[in-house]
Amino acid sequence: MTRVVVLGRDAALWLSAAVLQRALGPSWVTVTAVELPSALAAADIHAALPPLEALHNQLRIDEDALIRLTGGAFSLGQNFVDTVAGTPAFLHAYGSAGAQIDGRDFFAYWVKARAHGLAVGLEDFSLTASAARQGRLLIPDDDTEVYGRADYGYHLPAHAYTAVLKDIALHHGATVLAATEAQAMLHPETGDIAALALDGGRSVEADLFVDATGAEALLIGQALGVPVEDWRGMFPADRVLAAMAPRFASLPVYAELRASETGWTGLYPSQAGTHVLHAFSSAVHGDDHALEAAASASGLPLAGAAVRASAPGRRTAGWARNCVALGEAACAFDPVHGVELHAIQLGLINLLARFPSRGGHAAQRDEFNRVTRAAFERVRDFQSAHYALNRYGEGPFWSQARAARVSPDLAHRVALFAARGEIAPWEDESFAPDSWRMLFTGHGLSPQSWLPAIDKTSPDEMKAAFRRMLGFVREQVLRQPTHDAYLARLAGGAHG
């Protein structure tokens, strides 16, 4: 296969085109991006997870320039706040918590210490969580790398980020055709997509077509008829409002998701303003009440509001015939945790690992579908756990969330963690065990026991290790730049 056409819009189109052209261009593969009109609202933002940094590096995107051009910001995690029942807030920090003791994982020691009265939370042993609470970034060095993992993500305003990705794709050699509409033309004998018919009487042929058209799924869904496995029974929100609010005077280095009686409201800081997302159920209140609910939960004046549907679900096959779906065309997720770009990245990685060089591609297609199916289900379960374990009162939204269906894999993972603090290892998992631990403990799930092997470490050794860790975290965090100072240096052209 030497000709690839990517049909789509916005970040899904340009991230796919850039990655495919960068990776396959040296093998004489040509990538053509057919750009449909944007579907973005003014307030849309990508709350990107840490793995995106590695993909940016592969694309040779300069991070400092990216932040300047997009007016974006850094993120060390997501802070979950309960405004209904008043349960303690918790930070899903992008990094690890604690360092090994006697060559064994820290978490089991923390579980044991908590059972014996330790009042120090898991966050306090995390470099990224502690830095985030103080409005500081965490710039890793040799000492912090030895201690544990310290990751970060981004808040990238969607319009500006899409423009950057388009420039990158063109720089790497992708060609572009702008179109207002496109229709697949199927081969009469094989049923494969032979070409795309575009407005103005134009057409474009390819060996492989990539569907990056989002929820429309013009190729994988409308043309090839691949159905969706509906996940809406696992998630209470079916509507999402996006709006803009004024910029924080001092930018937090994390997003904040505030649970209210009617749903949750996310605040995503960027240099241009605060991007506000309100997820709710149409069974609880209508679109006409969404703006009022979002303004009340955020405490900010809102403008430029737009409401769209949320319909989580996965195509039963992400690769059908000679068409591969990426992004929302392949799988739509709930808006919590900001996994949209992460899902595109997972699809791209799996496609490149199995890209057919010659001959038939049935085996590669089947393996792509197997791997992406598992990977997407792992992401879905992480999101589902947030709703299933919530303690946010007895209102209709959160009661519906607790009663929602969970997968057998998630039920097993919760039970195993509750029993002895273990995270069941699954193939094709993209959330680290530390993320699962922060999610579970943040929602009040306390393991009943711990790995017996750690009992060989004396209580005095454990206490001394805990004191050293807390001191190290304090010392390292105080050395870090504030988020505002770091962004100001970038704006001035200086490196951090």
Side-chain angles (χ1 to χ4, degrees):
M1 290 190 175
T2 60
R3 300 172 301 169
V4 176
V5 165
V6 186
L7 173 68
R9 54 173 60 86
D10 305 320
L13 168 66
W14 292 114
L15 191 58
S16 300
V19 169
L20 294 173
Q21 182 64 58
R22 170 83 174 110
L24 301 175
S27 302
W28 307 106
V29 174
T30 63
V31 177
T32 301
V34 178
E35 182 181 26
L36 297 173
S38 174
L40 293 173
D44 286 340
I45 192 167
H46 295 295
L49 297 175
L52 188 65
E53 181 202 5
L55 192 62
H56 284 172
N57 289 339
Q58 291 295 316
L59 292 173
R60 298 181 180 176
I61 295 177
D62 180 84
E63 184 175 86
D64 294 355
L66 174 70
I67 297 300
R68 284 196 297 269
L69 289 169
T70 62
F74 295 93
S75 175
L76 295 181
Q78 293 187 324
N79 189 43
F80 291 85
V81 177
D82 177 6
T83 69
V84 184
T87 58
F90 71 93
L91 188 71
H92 168 214
Y94 300 149
S96 61
Q100 288 190 344
I101 301 175
D102 283 350
R104 298 187 181 277
D105 187 78
F106 165 80
F107 184 72
Y109 290 94
W110 180 80
V111 170
K112 179 179 178 179
R114 292 283 282 189
H116 288 85
L118 177 71
V120 182
L122 190 60
E123 286 183 15
D124 295 306
F125 293 93
S126 166
L127 287 165
T128 46
S130 298
R133 292 295 188 199
Q134 295 194 35
R136 298 175 182 271
L137 289 174
L138 199 293
I139 312 299
D141 58 22
D142 291 342
D143 291 337
T144 61
E145 292 288 348
V146 170
Y147 180 82
R149 186 170 48 86
D151 292 336
Y152 60 89
Y154 308 98
H155 293 159
L156 300 170
H159 278 285
Y161 181 56
T162 295
V164 169
L165 290 176
K166 182 174 181 178
D167 287 345
I168 292 295
L170 297 179
H171 172 76
H172 286 305
T175 58
V176 57
L177 296 173
T180 57
E181 58 184 28
Q183 183 175 358
M185 302 169 63
L186 303 185
H187 192 285
E189 296 179 2
T190 66
D192 287 354
I193 299 174
L196 299 182
L198 310 180
D199 52 282
R202 299 170 297 162
S203 66
V204 57
E205 298 179 349
D207 304 306
L208 184 72
F209 292 85
V210 174
D211 188 341
T213 62
E216 280 187 282
L218 291 175
L219 303 183
I220 197 80
Q222 294 189 30
L224 297 182
V226 177
V228 172
E229 178 185 308
D230 194 340
W231 291 345
R232 283 177 290 187
M234 295 181 166
F235 299 96
D238 62 0
R239 305 289 286 170
V240 179
L241 173 143
M244 284 299 297
R247 183 190 191 276
F248 286 109
S250 181
L251 284 191
V253 68
Y254 55 83
E256 182 157 294
L257 277 66
R258 299 176 180 174
S260 60
E261 289 187 357
T262 60
W264 59 264
T265 304
L267 281 64
Y268 303 90
S270 75
Q271 296 179 64
T274 304
H275 301 250
V276 178
L277 208 67
H278 178 64
F280 61 101
S281 168
S282 58
V284 175
H285 69 69
D287 291 359
D288 55 345
H289 183 65
L291 184 61
E292 177 185 345
S296 175
S298 67
L300 298 169
L302 303 182
V307 180
R308 56 172 64 100
S310 176
R314 175 181 53 79
R315 295 281 159 191
T316 55
W319 185 344
R321 299 191 178 275
N322 64 335
C323 176
V324 177
L326 295 175
E328 196 174 359
C331 190
F333 290 94
D334 187 86
V336 74
H337 299 124
V339 300
E340 179 186 6
L341 294 181
H342 186 63
I344 298 170
Q345 185 173 355
L346 289 174
L348 284 166
I349 291 170
N350 288 325
L351 175 58
L352 289 175
R354 295 158 186 89
F355 190 83
S357 57
R358 60 174 64 88
H361 55 264
Q364 296 100 312
R365 179 191 61 210
D366 292 346
E367 182 63 4
F368 174 90
N369 286 332
R370 184 191 70 81
V371 171
T372 54
R373 180 183 301 113
F376 290 160
E377 287 174 355
R378 300 287 81 77
V379 174
R380 175 206 64 195
D381 285 353
F382 188 82
Q383 294 188 305
S384 175
H386 168 67
Y387 291 106
L389 298 174
N390 87 83
R391 300 175 292 165
Y392 298 155
E394 300 302 324
F397 183 89
W398 294 107
S399 294
Q400 177 187 346
R402 285 189 294 274
R405 176 171 57 91
V406 299
S407 73
D409 285 349
L410 176 57
H412 171 69
R413 178 163 277 185
V414 170
L416 184 61
F417 183 85
R420 51 188 284 164
E422 291 186 67
I423 300 296
W426 295 111
E427 187 180 7
D428 305 310
E429 174 67 77
S430 57
F431 280 98
D434 289 293
S435 289
W436 283 96
R437 290 165 181 159
M438 289 179 181
L439 179 68
F440 284 163
T441 59
H443 279 300
L445 195 61
S446 299
Q448 298 172 6
S449 63
W450 50 86
L451 298 177
I454 71 167
D455 290 335
K456 293 186 294 185
T457 304
S458 72
D460 287 341
E461 289 179 272
M462 283 177 53
K463 291 176 184 177
F466 285 174
R467 284 194 294 268
R468 286 195 301 270
M469 291 181 208
L470 293 172
F472 177 82
V473 168
R474 260 192 317 270
E475 176 187 344
Q476 291 297 318
V477 167
L478 290 175
R479 295 175 52 239
Q480 304 302 319
T482 66
H483 195 197
D484 292 327
Y486 195 87
L487 291 174
R489 285 204 296 271
L490 293 189
H495 293 273

